[in-house]
Amino acid sequence: MSTLRDLAEEHTSLRPADIDHLHRIAGDWQLLSDLSFADLLLWVPVDGDGTFLCVAQVRPTTAPTAYLDDQVGRIVGGPEVAHLEIAHRQGRIWREGDPVWYGDVPARHEAIPVRLRTADGESGEVVAVVGRDTNLSTARTPSQLELNYLTTADDLAQMIADGTFPPPRHPGETTSAPRVGDGLVRLDANGKVTYASPNAQSAYRRLGYASHLVGEDLAKLHRRLASDPLEGTDAGNAVLAALRGEAPPRREIDARGATMLTRALPLMPAGVPIGALVLVRDITEVRRRDRALITKDATIREIHHRVKNNLQTVAALLRLQARRVAMPEARVALEESVRRVASIALVHETLSMSSDEAVEFDGIVDRVASAATEVAATEVSVGMRRQGSFGVLPAEIATSLVMVLNELLLNAVEHGFPPAGEEGAPGPEGAPEPAVVVSAHRFRKQLHVSVTDNGRGLPEQFDAEKGGNLGLQIVRALVTGELRGTIELRNGARGGTEAVLVVPLARGTADRLAG
């Protein structure tokens, strides 16, 4: 299904600013749909042929829909769009006419012109029409709640026609909460509560206010209830800002261990401030879970930090022991152990600074590659570079993979480029510089990694399955065991050696790498 922007750009000559305004309406009109107990359809006139195109649709959560089928992308004309044409041409809300039938469903048509205000705040031209279609199959005498909903919906509909709804969205805010069913409070022009839904009354009761809300000055009430005076002042000022015609950001109020989210919207039909609409939602459990997650994340990061410190201590002890050992072979073995422990510590250091159990692996690879060239026991200067991106990897893959890459890089530097004078040593001046390349890419939920050098290649009798030193034995064990992958060691087509790894990725990891 094409998006609102795609449909508008293909069938109309609406300006980008017009389309952006339609996007803002579609992002905030669930509120109007729920208050109206009606489906909302956003219609734009198709250039030059008297027809209208539906570019967006929303169904109410408070009433049955009038449309079982999706209307987006539908183009209609003739008598069926007469009400849309009148609203578009005359710039007024159309409410005349008898009910119509959609199959077995009787419905009432309304049409609301959509205006985009000019830069100087003047009412601009009509750029679209919102159809408000109500399913009448369950019509009955409305309750007090429904009457207040419908009255507020009419005010917001007039504000759409004036170009003052929806209000600008504040950075970082979404339109998902609070919703009409969470709790609704209507204020008069003086900030006094004229109606509070049962859910709103329950939310305030959790904050410690047991009396009925009607007649209360809501700004003052917020200041009294909040445990934090500054928080209460902010919540109260948000209500006052809405009464002045502004659209303040959402505010939270904490009191007696409960938390309530509030959103204040001005009511200004025909440009006249008549009060405000305050949506509220009890988010006590949401905030409790947030705090628990924050505590858990902090604990996990502290564990990784301590593991990193312990590994660094182990590496330091092995380094001290290596200095005291007289046998060259033992000293080399201990120094190799130091490097292996340090590579694992590098992963835990990164995890200790991460907000989840995943790491951006490219930086780790770059640091391991740089260290390999510095500590390798060779007289040859070898260049290192990385191609492609590993992306984000979970800790269980990253810890084993960094050890594998550390061993492969050290092997490539130490054994791929013998000193000058030995067989296979780098060629004379003008020959390619010794280099090792680490490449990575994702394919079909697998991570493909290669470590390639332009050195002397593998020995003639080398057995890829059994041959090699302790480092290669560790590599094979980690790849086939912990990583559940495969590894192939071979001579490159143009010389040198290639180590090719294929590591399966969990679905969530593959999705992160795709981003």
Side-chain angles (χ1 to χ4, degrees):
M1 178 60 67
S2 298
T3 64
L4 186 160
R5 186 176 299 277
D6 293 336
L7 291 168
E9 290 178 347
E10 180 180 354
H11 296 279
T12 75
S13 58
L14 291 174
R15 300 165 301 179
D18 299 332
I19 298 175
D20 289 341
H21 184 61
L22 299 185
H23 267 292
R24 286 193 295 271
I25 289 177
D28 229 342
W29 68 348
Q30 185 70 58
L31 169 63
L32 178 59
S33 177
D34 290 343
L35 289 171
S36 302
F37 306 100
D39 292 76
L40 301 182
L41 283 70
L42 186 56
W43 298 95
V44 294
V46 178
D47 292 338
D49 61 1
T51 60
F52 282 80
L53 165 69
C54 181
V55 295
Q57 175 184 4
V58 64
R59 293 181 173 91
T61 61
T62 52
T65 181
Y67 300 98
L68 296 179
D69 298 326
D70 193 11
Q71 303 296 302
V72 175
R74 183 179 173 216
I75 298 178
V76 294
E80 192 174 353
V81 297
H83 62 301
L84 303 177
E85 177 63 34
I86 293 173
H88 184 265
R89 187 178 65 254
Q90 298 182 8
R92 67 176 180 85
I93 297 178
W94 184 93
R95 291 193 175 98
E96 305 89 62
D98 298 325
V100 296
W101 290 81
Y102 297 110
D104 298 330
V105 178
R108 181 177 64 247
H109 269 331
E110 295 179 61
I112 306 164
V114 176
R115 280 190 176 86
L116 174 62
R117 298 185 77 81
T118 62
D120 56 4
E122 296 297 323
S123 181
E125 62 181 8
V126 177
V127 297
V129 179
V130 171
R132 182 163 62 166
D133 301 335
T134 307
N135 185 332
L136 299 177
S137 60
T138 58
R140 55 185 174 79
T141 302
S143 65
Q144 184 186 10
L145 179 145
E146 292 167 335
L147 287 173
N148 277 277
Y149 277 19
L150 291 170
T151 300
T152 305
D154 288 342
D155 292 334
L156 294 180
Q158 184 60 54
M159 291 172 67
I160 288 180
D162 298 337
T164 57
F165 184 87
R169 189 176 301 174
H170 296 273
E173 285 191 347
T174 64
T175 58
S176 59
R179 293 192 173 187
V180 169
D182 296 326
L184 177 145
V185 180
R186 183 173 175 124
L187 309 179
D188 62 18
N190 296 316
K192 298 294 181 63
V193 177
T194 60
Y195 176 76
S197 70
N199 283 345
Q201 191 71 54
S202 297
Y204 279 93
R205 187 171 291 115
R206 290 205 66 178
L207 294 180
Y209 185 75
S211 303
H212 204 277
L213 285 168
V214 172
E216 278 289 335
D217 185 316
L218 198 65
K220 294 180 179 178
L221 179 61
H222 284 178
R223 295 189 181 105
R224 294 202 310 268
L225 289 177
S227 302
D228 184 344
L230 181 59
E231 186 180 86
T233 299
D234 288 343
N237 289 341
V239 173
L240 298 177
L243 293 172
R244 294 193 300 268
E246 303 170 15
R250 293 167 174 80
R251 300 294 185 188
E252 292 185 10
I253 302 175
D254 289 286
R256 298 181 61 180
T259 305
M260 185 175 72
L261 177 65
T262 69
R263 182 189 183 193
L265 295 169
L267 294 177
M268 298 178 60
V272 179
I274 63 170
L277 175 67
V278 180
L279 300 173
V280 301
R281 180 185 178 187
D282 182 356
I283 57 170
T284 304
E285 291 305 310
V286 175
R287 289 294 172 261
R288 183 189 63 78
R289 289 194 295 268
D290 287 347
R291 288 191 290 269
L293 287 173
I294 291 172
T295 301
K296 178 182 176 182
D297 289 344
T299 301
I300 291 174
R301 287 197 297 272
E302 177 62 22
I303 290 172
H304 283 300
H305 180 71
R306 294 189 181 189
V307 170
K308 183 263 296 184
N309 288 344
N310 290 339
L311 289 171
Q312 289 178 338
T313 301
V314 171
L317 292 173
L318 290 173
R319 193 176 295 111
L320 288 173
Q321 187 65 46
R323 294 172 182 170
R324 295 172 179 265
V325 172
M327 295 178 59
E329 295 85 355
R331 184 182 304 109
V332 170
L334 288 171
E335 288 173 349
E336 288 178 351
S337 297
V338 169
R339 291 195 291 270
R340 289 166 185 145
V341 172
S343 66
I344 301 174
L346 185 58
V347 174
H348 285 281
E349 179 184 1
T350 306
L351 287 168
S352 70
M353 297 181 289
S354 174
S355 59
D356 54 21
E357 284 293 282
V359 294
E360 188 68 48
F361 202 68
D362 289 347
I364 293 177
V365 173
D366 294 343
R367 291 174 65 180
V368 169
S370 176
T373 60
E374 293 175 0
V375 303
T378 179
E379 301 172 3
V380 181
S381 176
V382 180
M384 288 275 187
R385 61 188 177 91
R386 172 174 53 82
Q387 290 181 341
S389 174
F390 289 81
V392 177
L393 295 179
E396 61 269 20
I397 291 179
T399 303
S400 298
L401 186 57
V402 73
M403 284 195 66
V404 169
L405 291 176
N406 181 63
E407 297 297 336
L408 292 176
L409 290 169
L410 283 171
N411 267 321
V413 174
E414 292 183 347
H415 303 295
F417 306 99
E422 291 190 15
E423 183 180 355
E429 186 176 352
E433 293 292 331
V436 178
V437 179
V438 182
S439 302
H441 71 278
R442 184 184 64 89
F443 181 70
R444 293 182 179 176
K445 299 180 182 178
Q446 293 177 331
L447 181 63
H448 291 245
V449 182
S450 67
V451 178
T452 306
D453 65 61
N454 60 353
R456 61 181 171 182
L458 296 171
E460 290 184 5
Q461 303 302 318
F462 181 79
D463 186 341
E465 293 298 323
K466 299 179 181 179
N469 54 19
L470 175 61
L472 288 181
Q473 294 174 25
I474 292 173
V475 166
R476 279 193 289 269
L478 288 173
V479 171
T480 58
E482 296 296 325
L483 296 176
R484 300 178 183 178
T486 61
I487 182 169
E488 180 183 0
L489 294 173
R490 64 196 182 200
N491 284 318
R494 299 181 180 179
T497 306
E498 292 180 350
V500 180
L501 292 79
V502 179
V503 179
L505 297 170
R507 180 171 183 176
T509 306
D511 292 342
R512 287 195 296 270
L513 281 170

